[in-house]
Amino acid sequence: MNWILKKILGSKNERDLKKMRPLVEKINAYDEEYKALTDEQLQAKTQEFKDRLQQGETLEDIELEAFAVVKNAARRLCGSEVDVIGHPISWEMVHFDVQLIGGMAMHKGMIAEMATGEGKTLVATLPVYLNALSGKGVHVVTTSDYHSQRDSEWMGHLYKWLGLSVGCLKNQMPPPERREQYLCDITYGTNSEFGFDYLRDNMAYSPEDMVQQKGHNFAIVDEIDSILIDEARTPLIISGPAPYSSTQYSELQPAAARLVRRQRDLCTRLLQEAKELLDAGDQDEAALRMYQVFEGMPKNKQLMHMIEDVKIRKLLEKTQMAMLSDMRKEQARKLRQELFFTIDEKGHDAGLTEKGCAEMNPEDPEMYVLPDMVSAMAELDGDTGLSPEEIMEKRRAIQEDFALRNERVHAVDQLIRAYCVYEKNVDYVVQDNQVLIVDEHTGRLMVGRRWSDGLHQSVEAKEGVTIERETQTLATITIQNYFRMYDKLSGMTGTAETEADEFHQIYGLDVMVIPTNRPVRRVDLNDQVYKTQREKFRAVIEEIKAAHARKQPVLVGTVAVETSEVLSRMLRRENIVHNVLNAKNHAREAEIVANAGQPGAVTIATNMAGRGTDIKLGKEVVYLDEKDLQSKEFSLDSKVDGQPLRKLLEERPCGLYVIASERHESRRIDRQLRGRSARQGDPGVTRFYVSLEDNLMRLFGSDRISNIMEKLGIEEGEVLEHPWLNKSIETAQRRVEQQNFMMRKRTLEYDDVMNAQRGEIYGFRSEALTSEEPRNLIYHSAEQAIATHAADAVALKTEQGIHEFIIWVNTTFPLGMREHDLPDEKTADSLAECVMERVKKAYDLKARHESADSFTRLERHMIIQSIDEHWQEYLRSMDSLRESVGLQAYGQRDPLVEYKREAYHLFMDLMDRIYEEIANSMFRSGTSIEAIEDFFRSLSSMQVRHPQASALAAASAQAQRQPQNAPPPGMGQPMGAPPPGMDLPQAPAPTPIRKAVPKAGRNDPCPCGSGRKYKKCCGAE
């Protein structure tokens, strides 16, 4: 039915295009009208549009006219010269009709999918100009600093001619200069620059330090799939040095390295036994040995060589499936226990076995075994011969022992991952005594990024480089949640359709496929499938040699740095001159890619390198004439000069030849690589080479292809090629894409919990930073703290509760309250109202002795410091919760539900602690010694001499030391000792603030006295 409806009504994309085509005609009509205007009159249109918006018109009212102005301005600039990153470029661009459609799609908050070479950079000028007229700011997000600077200078030529200001964010740019860039009408920058500026703004100590003062109005994301999908796996994190940094990684590295060597030797012996058993005809026992090797070292080269044989591969896969059944789970466990550790390659995880624990420390095998803390605690609770103090002491000892062992085991697991899962020159490179992560999608170095949870330190220990100090999270946000803050979001890319569901589910963005300006003249040849990588690489080199001989430019795409270097060595042996572009050699990226289309050029690049830079063909490699280019039929069977194109491809150059050394796990990345060829109607050819040893095929997709090879009797060196095989490979890619999407979605679901809390905290902090009266926030915090303690006191329903409440009040505030000062009817509300009234009077008295401006700054600092200190502690707690909550799955509970529940309680506790901290700070700081002395003198003798008024004495004792986070110069100073002559009694040091009522368990009676369980009463969510 859907197919029939599409045939009758057309797809949604076709219907959208049909609606926009009449609008293109109107834009072109305005453009013809504007040709009669002088330059000054056309430039005056910008101010005219701004005035019309001020008078109540909307952006949609002026959209078509604004687009026409941009197109007309681009035509007038033709022939002019603009300096782009030190190179003069002649402006020769005018918008095509399809580019006008792309501009309208982006203005509507959609993703415009446009093929490589269709001029996406120019398309963005249309919605950017239109939305910048509102004065609210437009952010153009790019994939690199190079593209930000290039596009801001290149397209800025057009914007500035029309009277708009353009800014560009650069790495290490100081805040004052950065603020100026944000105040421009249009600001270019990378996603990390925008995201980190948002986090830094929420760590600022004055409004002047905030740079994103225009907020988040409209963003256009270039290469939106790369930024919002590929990079969305890693959150943006601002870190600071941790108070404690473990040295276990360097200490445990020798033992872990020795363990890996023992495992490697064990796997070699097991494989030798497997070969002997296969020769003897005992396939079942041989399969068990291979199963053990796969569980212990799945990337073992001997194992990879053995399973090149399709029969052996099928035998191993059959055994793996059998071991997952309930009948053989125990056998599988015993086989794994014969190893030193196990590796989960798909999950990038590792874990010690009992044998491995004993090998790590033969003298004390239990050192690397986690104790059963639950059983130990239960046994302790059942011991009636111990006093409560002894039970608490033993509890603490059990918890400390568990934490110590857990940290040690975790460090060993991470070291094993570093040795067996993460490969040098694939996942990371070592440069300048540093381990730098390689982005798996772009092939670029992720400078400044570090793996979390000790993995980076483990890789540093493995490589023998300096192990950097551990860090703690100060502020964090995911890419998804940052970009969902914008009032309107849109983007452009050459490949988004395959991820349309994710864009819609996560960001609410629809994808619109824009037709090309000229028909696509690219021939996509069938994949060539080989048994082994060795055969595949040989075939790739032979194909490069043939193309090089006929002077056809070749771009070789690789997934990993290591593959690019292997192919480079092979080409050097063949004396073929070539360029290599990977994470180790990216300085000349734009230059190398721009020259990749010259006759006979050979360029090896990681799949995404050079994205955003056009590859322009030399004239000698485009032999098709205009008649051929206009032909609608263009395939291997097309006739050129009376001969089939299939034959001519082997004889003459036909555009850029893109050769991919393997399939990426994402179809979208493969499409991007194909898109490097055949821009703007140029001819081009692409082909992918695949082997059964490639990671994608080995982990997700080799079953069907292995069967086909076996049935056809494919021998070593022979190639398999058919359109059906392409579909099988795409099926494997879809599996991985779905798995990755679910991982990103799950990560986002966890961060959504944090995002709501982050909004509350940052809103509170921003209000404190910008409010003219921060004192209102201080009063609110004090009210919340007093109300909590009053409720706890009343819940006890004893005189002791009221007595402890008075002690807390007098310890926190200089009030000198007695029980008779409290109202007769002692409800929580009446107690809180009575105390708060006195607090306000005392604080107003204190404020009268302070310098007004300085005191306001001090109040802001007091609130912000309390928020920051506790928020950073909270982030550490949430990191720990995120790691531990996964264990809930073993109890048949959804970890996400448990995470939300625990996060709620932790956040409520966080807010209580922030309010408590602010209340404690109210009377413990001042702007000057003189103000403090005047305040003391103005207090009544009753308040000062009351035995419970220990707050001032505590403050004077505490203030002899400089506080850890002292306010900036000019923000005031901590309260000093009381003025000479003031008779303060010697009071004991203040006791820690504790709630009068212990925290109730979910099944305990509710403290409010209702008689119901806590979870059914006050604890109900």
Side-chain angles (χ1 to χ4, degrees), residues 487-772:
D487 298 333
K488 184 165 69 172
L489 180 66
S490 66
M492 50 191 175
T493 181
T495 48
E497 196 174 16
T498 56
E499 313 291 347
D501 286 344
E502 181 166 353
F503 279 122
H504 184 74
Q505 287 187 42
I506 303 299
Y507 302 99
L509 294 171
D510 291 326
V511 176
M512 186 171 184
V513 181
I514 311 298
T516 56
N517 183 49
R518 305 177 76 171
V520 176
R521 305 303 180 199
R522 187 182 71 234
V523 178
D524 296 328
L525 302 175
N526 290 327
D527 292 6
Q528 293 207 333
V529 184
Y530 292 85
K531 274 189 174 183
T532 68
Q533 284 190 350
R534 185 179 63 256
E535 301 167 59
K536 179 186 73 173
F537 287 154
R538 257 200 319 260
V540 168
I541 296 300
E542 290 301 319
E543 190 72 3
I544 294 172
K545 284 172 62 179
H548 185 65
R550 60 177 179 261
K551 298 295 183 185
Q552 184 170 15
V554 179
L555 176 65
V556 184
T558 68
V559 171
V561 175
E562 184 181 46
T563 307
S564 66
E565 295 185 340
V566 167
L567 290 173
S568 177
R569 287 195 297 269
M570 295 176 75
L571 285 176
R572 282 200 297 270
R573 286 200 293 267
E574 299 290 340
N575 294 319
I576 294 178
V577 178
H578 61 280
N579 283 312
V580 179
L581 182 55
N582 59 33
K584 290 184 175 180
N585 175 28
H586 58 86
R588 295 173 51 236
E589 178 173 326
E591 178 188 347
I592 290 174
V593 173
N595 294 324
Q598 298 307 308
V602 177
T603 307
I604 301 175
T606 46
N607 281 356
M608 292 270 292
R611 187 174 179 180
T613 304
D614 283 341
I615 298 177
K616 296 184 180 179
L617 298 179
K619 293 182 181 179
E620 300 87 340
V621 300
V622 184
Y623 71 89
L624 299 180
D625 59 25
E626 189 66 22
K627 181 184 70 174
D628 296 319
L629 293 175
Q630 293 303 324
S631 169
K632 290 188 178 180
E633 293 296 329
F634 193 81
S635 67
L636 288 175
D637 298 319
S638 299
K639 297 284 183 149
V640 178
D641 296 342
Q643 298 186 61
L645 179 59
R646 184 189 304 273
K647 187 172 186 299
L648 290 178
L649 284 176
E650 299 173 358
E651 300 174 356
R652 290 191 267 175
C654 182
L656 178 68
Y657 191 1
V658 169
I659 297 175
S661 65
E662 65 183 280
R663 285 274 193 172
H664 196 275
E665 64 181 31
S666 168
R667 290 172 296 158
R668 182 170 42 81
I669 305 296
D670 289 346
R671 287 184 61 202
Q672 288 161 3
L673 183 58
R674 284 195 195 278
R676 308 301 299 159
S677 178
R679 59 177 292 281
Q680 279 294 321
D682 286 341
V685 186
T686 68
R687 189 193 291 278
F688 282 75
Y689 286 77
V690 180
S691 83
L692 296 186
E693 292 182 352
D694 295 346
N695 285 341
L696 173 71
M697 305 305 298
R698 186 166 54 83
L699 296 175
F700 296 98
S702 62
D703 304 351
R704 293 183 62 189
I705 297 175
S706 296
N707 292 335
I708 294 171
M709 284 188 155
E710 184 181 10
K711 289 176 182 177
L712 294 178
I714 299 296
E715 300 294 335
E716 183 169 345
E718 293 183 351
V719 62
L720 198 59
E721 177 183 348
H722 197 278
W724 288 357
L725 288 179
N726 302 350
K727 292 181 180 178
S728 291
I729 296 170
E730 286 187 5
T731 300
Q733 290 175 307
R734 284 194 185 95
R735 286 188 211 162
V736 187
E737 287 169 354
Q738 188 62 27
Q739 176 178 303
N740 290 339
F741 169 49
M742 294 309 297
M743 288 169 58
R744 288 191 293 267
K745 188 176 180 183
R746 194 67 169 174
T747 300
L748 183 61
E749 287 172 343
Y750 278 97
D751 191 66
D752 281 342
V753 179
M754 276 286 293
N755 198 48
Q757 298 173 352
R758 184 188 299 113
E760 289 287 327
I761 288 291
Y762 283 177
F764 187 11
R765 195 183 191 282
S766 177
E767 189 177 357
L769 200 62
T770 58
S771 173
E772 295 294 327

Side-chain angles (χ1 to χ4, degrees), residues 764-820:
F764 187 11
R765 195 183 191 282
S766 177
E767 189 177 357
L769 200 62
T770 58
S771 173
E772 295 294 327
E773 291 290 338
R775 188 174 308 173
N776 294 332
L777 293 176
I778 290 179
Y779 284 161
H780 171 74
S781 300
E783 284 174 353
Q784 295 296 319
I786 293 168
T788 298
H789 283 274
D792 290 344
V794 172
L796 282 178
K797 297 183 178 180
T798 63
E799 289 297 322
Q800 180 64 23
I802 301 299
H803 179 67
E804 290 186 6
F805 175 65
I806 292 176
I807 291 176
W808 175 80
V809 168
N810 289 327
T811 303
T812 307
F813 312 108
L815 302 183
M817 290 191 72
R818 296 180 174 85
E819 190 167 341
H820 65 74

